[in-house]
Structure formats: structure tokens, C-alpha cells
Amino acid sequence: MTSDISMDSLRILYDLPLLELVFKAAEVHRKHFDQHEIQLCTLLSVKTGGCAEDCSYCPQAARYNTDVEREKLLDVEKVLQEATVAKHEGSTRFCMGAAWREVKDNQDFDNILKMVKGVRKLGLEACCTLGMLSLSQAEKLKEAGLTAYNHNLDTSEDYYGDIIKTRTYNDRLETLDNVGKAGISVCCGGIIGLGESVDDRLKLLLTLTKLSPQPESVPINTLVPVPGTPLENQKRVDTFEWIRMIALARIVLPKSKIRLSAGRLDIPKEAQALAFMAGANSIFTGEKLLTTGNPSWNSDHALIQELGLSIKAPEQEMEYAKV
Ligand code: SAM
Ligand code: DTB
Ligand code: SF4
């Protein structure tokens, strides 16, 4: 499917009987990927808490009273130790997250560049999610060897203002543009379960298809309601709605990796298997996401083995091995 896709065509797909939709998504998946391969990505919060933004879902926003303690940027050495563990467990992409509104040109950023270089030297793909980014900062990250930059649009442009008031949808699009211009792969997805309508979810997908370049990976998060955040009492998303979102993402973004992200801890393994059938081909591994829980290494290894799946090898390894 290309960018001539419309809200009407998305709605028709979304309303298909569930298994029909999954079947269509599985067909698209097999055309573009080896359906047996799952990419393992490990997240580490390198700078936790105290964020100036007001994202209603986020336990790291300084203005909400959550259990998350504010920490300064981790040492480069500590981050590389964690990356080594992730590699040992079979992860091929290491993602470093910072609770920043935007990147500032200071010593912390210099240390992030060192982390990126160190992660690449370990033979892993490196990803960062650091908030807003200028073109020159994106270029520096590219030079350090960064593989991908995660910056989510989260929901539709219409619903965005209900969830986040301290920045605009356009701010997000500008950063994505800078990332693309610097030649870094774009990782961009969203969250379901924020109280949005199905149309909001479809609009998010439509916007993702229109990004140029289209995202290399698309994380699909389901809200993890954290006590102290404005969305703490939000009802959990129905698992079948989650599957529909994944299948639809696979159909309209046939070449992107579709990543099962936040919320997986509470999703039964049978539903995760259906999500892989529906085209998901990447997961976050490791006991923790940024601040919330995630399935254990053991349970994910067991799931991959039980389903007869295999772990995807890193891309571009040779290109950056000497950085
Ligand atoms: N500060 C950076 C930013 O906002 O781009 C990077 C980190 S931020 C935590 C990355 C993404 O995590 C958000 O865009 C959101 O999609 C997801 N996220 C944060 N809190 C979540 C929660 N409670 N449940 C599900 N997803 C969440
Ligand atoms: C993404 O879309 N999900 C990840 C990653 N990109 C950075 C983050 C999920 C965070 C869930 C809440 C937490 O653990 O703090
Ligand atoms: Fe800050 Fe990112 Fe959390 Fe928003 S999602 S409050 S920008 S850490």
C-alpha cells in the first residue's frame, strides 16, 4: 500500500472480521520479511525522570507525583555494561532513552555521543530517544554511528492536544524531519489506550504512511497506566483491538518493522503469537522498559523458541563496526 491510502480504506480494513484482517496482514508480512525473524531491542533509561514536558501518560514528567526518582545521566561505562548484557542475551539493537524535552549542546550530549559510539563498537545497532533534536544535533548523532532515532507521534494530530500541551504535533514532525535529513532511520509510532477514538488511531497510521522517509520501525505501545499520572485510571485496551492496530500497521507500512512495545507484560503469550502472525516482527526485551516492567529474558526466549521463531541478526553491522 502507498500514500494514496485514505481514511475510508483504513476504516474498511479495520472493520474486517478479525481473522480476515490478520490473514491479510500475514500475507503482506510474508511478502516483505522473513516471517520467522523477530528483532530483539533492549531499552535503557540513561536519564530518568524530571522531564519538563506534560505528556499525560508519562511517569517521568516532573509535574506528576509518581514513584519515579529523578536521576542524572548515567556514566558511559555503566551504559556499555548494560549494552553488553543485552548483547549477551541476544538483543541486536540497544535503545537509550532520556527524559528530556529536547537535546541541549552540552556535556551530557557529548556523553550520549560516546555511548552511541561504544554501543556500535559492541556490534549492536544503536537507537536513541532524547526528545526534540536540531538538524546539527542529528548530524552529530549520525556521525557517531546512530542507527535509528525514536520519536513517536503517539496519536492523531486532533487528539494530541488532549494528551500533551507543552509541545505541538508540528514540533514532533520537525524533529522527525531533522532525523531523516541526517540519514538516520526513523523510529516512530504511538500509544493506544489514551482514551482516543478508533478514528484517531487510523489518523495516526495515515500520518505515519505520509512521513518521508516512512519510518523504518513503528513501536506500538499500549498505555501502562502509572499511579500519579493523569491517565492512572484509564481502562486497559482490549487485546483484540491491539491486534487490529498491529495488523493494520503491517498492511499500510509493509516495509517497516512493527514493534510490540509498552504493555506486553500484561498480554498473554497466545495473543502475542497472534500479534506475530499479524505482522509484528520486533519486541523490546529486558526486565524493564524505561521505568515500567517488561517480560523477563527467560520468558521471551521461551516464547520465541516455543513458536519456532528466530532472532534477527543486526543490520549494517559492518558499516559501523570501525566507528
Ligand atoms: N522523552 C522522549 C520523548 O518523549 O520522545 C523519549 C522517551 S518517551 C518515554 C518515549 C515514548 O514512550 C513516548 O512517546 C510514549 O509513546 C511511550 N510511553 C511513555 N510512557 C508510557 C506509558 N505509561 N505507557 C505506554 N507508553 C508510554
Ligand atoms: C517506545 O515507543 N516505547 C518505549 C521506547 N519507544 C522508548 C518506551 C516505553 C516506555 C513505557 C513506560 C516506561 O517504562 O517508563
Ligand atoms: Fe518527557 Fe518523553 Fe515522558 Fe513526555 S514522554 S514527559 S517528553 S520523558
Side-chain angles (χ1 to χ4, degrees), residues 124-251:
L124 291 163
E125 296 175 5
C127 174
C128 280
T129 179
L130 313 168
M132 290 185 264
L133 207 62
S134 68
L135 178 56
S136 79
Q137 291 165 339
E139 283 166 346
K140 283 184 187 147
L141 285 165
K142 171 74 184 171
E143 218 177 281
L146 192 73
T147 314
Y149 194 82
N150 167 247
H151 202 65
N152 291 339
L153 286 172
D154 282 336
T155 188
S156 71
E157 183 167 12
D158 300 344
Y159 195 59
Y160 199 76
D162 286 33
I163 300 299
I164 299 151
K165 301 206 187 321
T166 50
R167 57 165 189 257
T168 64
Y169 216 62
N170 218 41
D171 291 332
R172 291 305 263 190
L173 291 168
E174 260 178 40
T175 291
L176 291 169
D177 199 41
N178 291 335
V179 171
K181 278 193 185 128
I184 300 168
S185 293
V186 170
C187 169
C188 182
I191 316 187
I192 59 171
L194 302 170
E196 75 286 348
S197 64
V198 168
D199 268 7
D200 289 313
R201 293 178 194 166
L202 303 185
K203 281 181 195 162
L204 166 67
L205 288 177
L206 195 58
T207 307
L208 293 176
T209 65
K210 298 208 155 96
L211 290 180
S212 174
Q214 279 193 351
E216 174 257 355
S217 51
V218 178
I220 305 288
N221 298 277
T222 64
L223 178 74
V224 178
V226 179
T229 62
L231 295 178
E232 64 182 341
N233 294 320
Q234 198 66 36
K235 199 173 141 269
R236 292 286 179 129
V237 170
D238 177 75
T239 310
F240 290 147
E241 281 185 49
W242 177 71
I243 301 278
R244 280 188 193 276
M245 185 69 181
I246 290 156
L248 212 54
R250 166 51 65 225
I251 294 170

Side-chain angles (χ1 to χ4, degrees), residues 232-281:
E232 64 182 341
N233 294 320
Q234 198 66 36
K235 199 173 141 269
R236 292 286 179 129
V237 170
D238 177 75
T239 310
F240 290 147
E241 281 185 49
W242 177 71
I243 301 278
R244 280 188 193 276
M245 185 69 181
I246 290 156
L248 212 54
R250 166 51 65 225
I251 294 170
V252 300
L253 294 156
K255 294 184 182 156
S256 306
K257 288 193 199 72
I258 307 294
R259 180 168 309 124
L260 307 181
S261 304
R264 208 162 56 81
L265 190 56
D266 298 305
I267 297 174
K269 65 177 184 177
E270 294 79 2
Q272 293 187 48
L274 193 56
F276 295 137
M277 185 77 192
N281 55 355

